[in-house]
Structure formats: C-alpha cells, structure tokens
Amino acid sequence: MKRTYKVAGHKFAVVMPDHNLAWNEMSSCEPFVCEDADECLFTAELLDAMPDTSGKQKVTVGCEGPDMPRVELFEWNGEWLMELAPTLEAPVRAYLITDKAFSKGRFRLLGSMRFSLSTVLMLMFAFATARKNTLLMHASVTMKDGKGYVFLGKSGTGKSTHSQLWINNIGGCSLLNDDNPVIRVMDDGEVRVFGSPWSGKTPCYHNVDVPVGAIVNLHQAKKNAIRRLSLVEAYAAMYVSFSGYRFIKDMADGLHATNEKIVSTVPCYGLDCLPNAEAAWLCYKTVSQ
Amino acid sequence: MKTKKGYRMRPLGKEYILVAEGLEVENANQMISMNATAAFLWEAVEGKDFDAETLAQLLVDEYGIDIETAKKDVTPLLQTWEKAGIIN
C-alpha cells in the first residue's frame, strides 16, 4: 500500500505492505494525508529484508546529547546508509538507505516502530527539502492573530515552557508545533511556518501554516530582557536550530540560502527570560509590534 | 602558516561569515563573522602558505595603503584567526 502526505507543501509517499503494523504508528501523519500522489519529492519504502551492507564506510555520527537520537551515516554501494537509535547509547532501531538526491529511501524498522518510523520520515523530509527553501526546525511555535512566533533555544532552555506561558497568559494563542515545525520561504518571498507530523513529546500535529511574525532565541536568565538581534546573530541562532549534512555541498548551499533569506526578512530577537508570565508579556508586546 | 580545511565563506548582508562545513572540523557549529577586508584576505590565502607579510602585501595591493599601516592592521586579525583556531 502506498499513501501520500503533504507537509509544508512538499509531497512524499510511504510504501508498506497493506497489513503491516507500522501503519498503526502513522497517526501523527494522518492530518497530512494527501489524495493527489503526483510529483512526490521522495518515496520511503519499507524493506522486508536488510541487504548485506558489510562494505559500508563510516562517514560521520551525529548526536546532540546523551538523550537525543543518534544518527550514524555511512556510504554504501554509492548511496547513503543511516543507522538510527533513540539515544546516544541505545542499540540501532532503524536503517535508512537513500540515494544521494534523497528521493528514494528504503528503511528497515527494529523494535519500537513509532520512534523509528517517525525519525526515518523526518530525516528523509529534512534532507530532501534542504535545497528547496525549506528548513525543518528545532523550535516551538505559538500562533497569535494569524502569525507564528518561533521560539528557538538549546534543548532544555524552555522553548515549550515559553509557548505555554503565551497560551496561558495571553488571550487567543495556540500551539502550532512544539518541536519540529517547518519554515519555508515561499516563491513570492513570504516566510511561512508550517505544522508537521513531528512534534517531540507533545502530540501536536496540525496541518496549518501562517506567516512568521518573529523568531525569538531564548536564554535562561535571572531577569527578563529582550533585544533585536543583528543579522549575524540571527543567522547563528537559526544555524544551530536546524540540521543537515553541511559537508554535502549542495545541501549546505541550500540551507545557507534559506537561512539568509529568513533572517533578512523576519525580525529576530534574543530573549533573556525567567519561566514566568512577565517574560511572555515582555516578549509578546515587543515582537508583535 | 596555513588556513585550516573544512571552512566555507558565506556572504551575509554586508558582512561575511566563515562557517565550518567540512567533517574535519571538530566543532561542527563553529562560525566566525568577518568584515569585507578580512574575508578578502581569507579567500586570497585559503589553502596556501602565508604569513603576516603576505597579508600586509595583499592589503597594500588591494587598497593602496602603505605597508606599515597594513602590517598594523594584520596583527590583530591574525590573533583573532589564531584564537578562533582556523589557521595553523
């Protein structure tokens, strides 16, 4: 069975046998089902057996912290092979083999399917769209008055907490996505933020998009303060908030071009904050002007 | 001395940033902002052997300043590059 999904305007297809249990783990993708299967950016197909990858050559390993997913990248048979695990030390839970254009992925799932299937699709999406004015972000996004406010920060800084503070204190706010929203520069230059099937621990899978009102980089501090970021500061704050393999030149070029357009278009701020209502009000009043 | 491998110069507005894009760079998120002059010098000596003298002469040729002024400009720049670990 093949089903097509559309996230941030990019279509992709998932191919798995009809009665495979992995379909039960696709609920976060449901809001993104698309009837029209033409012009998919990529296809991800479940393998019924793993090929012999013994000639694989290790390229790099990525893991942003002990409790963050680990992705080991290999070159194998002229393609990329990724081995995925939910944490730094955990055993491999999924294999993803893809052509170098990231248009045709094949994957194998082991153990808990939810983590592995979701991660496989997220990686394929991030890499396939990296050259298409699109960034899969690590951020929390709250909507207010038809605009999306994108909160950045290192893991544990309080991005989700800050979103909740807006929602609980400022009327008319709602959460668009709590972990992996997608920002896209549209053909007319408008910068929009989209919900996605990936939202970390918060089940929040909205097929909704709005223009980006502002991007706010959060830092924990002893008192609340906000300021506008320079172009370079904004670029740097964004740079660490999306992923991609920058040693792949055309991917790095694509990510750079998109980031540059975003930070040149959208107002970006740095917020020193406590986890309190005053921080949310200070932020909201400044960035919604 | 030589520029280290794995960095790429990216224009950003009126400035430039040198970003770590190669797998050989340990700190994958490293980024150094540069003005147009520093970026010009980096690109002129990238991958080649150079010293303070080389950079000063490049400034003289490009901007028509005298060699003494050029040398004074180059000293703090080289210190910044050394501190950032982008040359060896």
Side-chain angles (χ1 to χ4, degrees), chain B residues 15-36:
Chain B
E15 292 183 75
Y16 293 82
I17 38 167
L18 187 72
V19 288
E21 293 189 353
L23 291 172
E24 57 271 68
V25 182
E26 223 166 90
N27 176 5
N29 287 328
Q30 192 185 6
M31 184 178 291
I32 299 108
S33 71
M34 291 192 184
N35 61 22

Side-chain angles (χ1 to χ4, degrees), chain A:
Chain A
M1 183 161 76
K2 174 174 171 177
R3 292 190 81 180
T4 306
Y5 304 89
K6 189 170 169 181
V7 175
H10 298 296
K11 278 188 253 176
F12 60 90
V14 177
V15 182
M16 302 192 287
D18 285 6
H19 300 294
N20 196 285
L21 288 175
W23 285 115
N24 298 340
E25 305 300 337
M26 290 290 287
S27 56
S28 65
C29 286
E30 277 306 305
F32 301 89
V33 167
C34 169
E35 297 308 324
D36 173 15
D38 291 346
E39 291 176 44
C40 279
L41 193 57
F42 68 89
T43 304
E45 181 167 4
L46 183 69
L47 288 171
D48 50 15
M50 190 64 191
D52 174 13
T53 58
S54 52
K56 68 189 180 188
Q57 299 283 325
K58 188 164 176 169
V59 178
T60 183
V61 55
C63 187
E64 284 164 23
D67 298 324
M68 301 293 280
R70 182 185 82 233
V71 182
E72 273 181 280
L73 179 75
F74 302 86
E75 199 164 10
W76 173 73
N77 208 14
E79 299 196 291
W80 298 124
L81 162 66
M82 283 172 239
E83 300 188 352
L84 320 176
T87 65
L88 181 62
E89 301 287 346
V92 172
R93 287 276 185 75
Y95 296 90
L96 169 63
I97 299 168
T98 166
D99 62 325
K100 292 199 169 175
F102 297 96
S103 65
K104 203 170 182 306
R106 286 93 68 214
F107 59 94
R108 181 102 179 109
L109 307 175
L110 308 169
S112 160
M113 287 181 182
R114 178 157 292 214
F115 159 79
S116 37
L117 183 54
S118 169
T119 308
V120 160
L121 296 179
M122 189 164 81
L123 290 174
M124 278 302 286
F125 182 87
F127 300 142
T129 62
R131 284 151 279 202
K132 300 196 173 290
N133 292 317
T134 304
L135 299 176
L136 178 72
M137 299 295 301
H138 184 50
S140 179
V141 180
T142 292
M143 293 184 289
K144 164 76 177 161
D145 297 332
K147 285 186 177 170
Y149 295 93
V150 180
F151 304 132
L152 310 178
K154 288 182 195 141
S155 282
T157 300
K159 299 183 286 292
S160 299
T161 303
H162 195 75
S163 270
Q164 284 309 314
L165 287 166
W166 276 49
I167 291 160
N168 295 338
N169 293 285
I170 301 161
C173 292
S174 62
L175 190 65
L176 174 62
N177 186 285
D178 211 21
D179 203 43
N180 295 114
V182 179
I183 300 183
R184 182 168 177 184
V185 183
M186 311 308 290
D187 290 343
D188 64 1
E190 187 186 34
V191 179
R192 296 183 74 84
V193 59
F194 295 72
S196 85
W198 310 287
S199 188
K201 294 185 180 99
T202 312
C204 179
Y205 314 111
H206 300 304
N207 189 358
V208 170
D209 59 287
V210 286
V212 176
I215 293 169
V216 185
N217 193 36
L218 308 183
H219 289 279
Q220 289 179 356
K222 296 238 158 62
K223 72 179 206 200
N224 297 317
I226 191 164
R227 66 182 182 92
R228 188 79 183 254
L229 296 180
S230 71
L231 203 58
V232 171
E233 289 171 318
Y235 184 95
M238 284 286 288
Y239 191 83
V240 294
S241 304
F242 57 82
S243 50
Y245 286 121
R246 294 187 173 100
F247 73 93
I248 302 174
K249 189 179 176 298
D250 62 342
M251 190 180 290
D253 290 347
L255 296 171
H256 163 74
T258 311
N259 189 9
E260 188 190 20
K261 282 180 211 155
I262 293 169
V263 298
S264 307
T265 309
V266 175
C268 300
Y269 297 85
L271 176 68
D272 288 339
C273 61
L274 288 157
N276 62 16
E278 189 207 36
W281 277 109
L282 171 68
C283 184
Y284 166 64
K285 283 185 179 160
T286 309
V287 306
S288 64
Q289 279 169 7

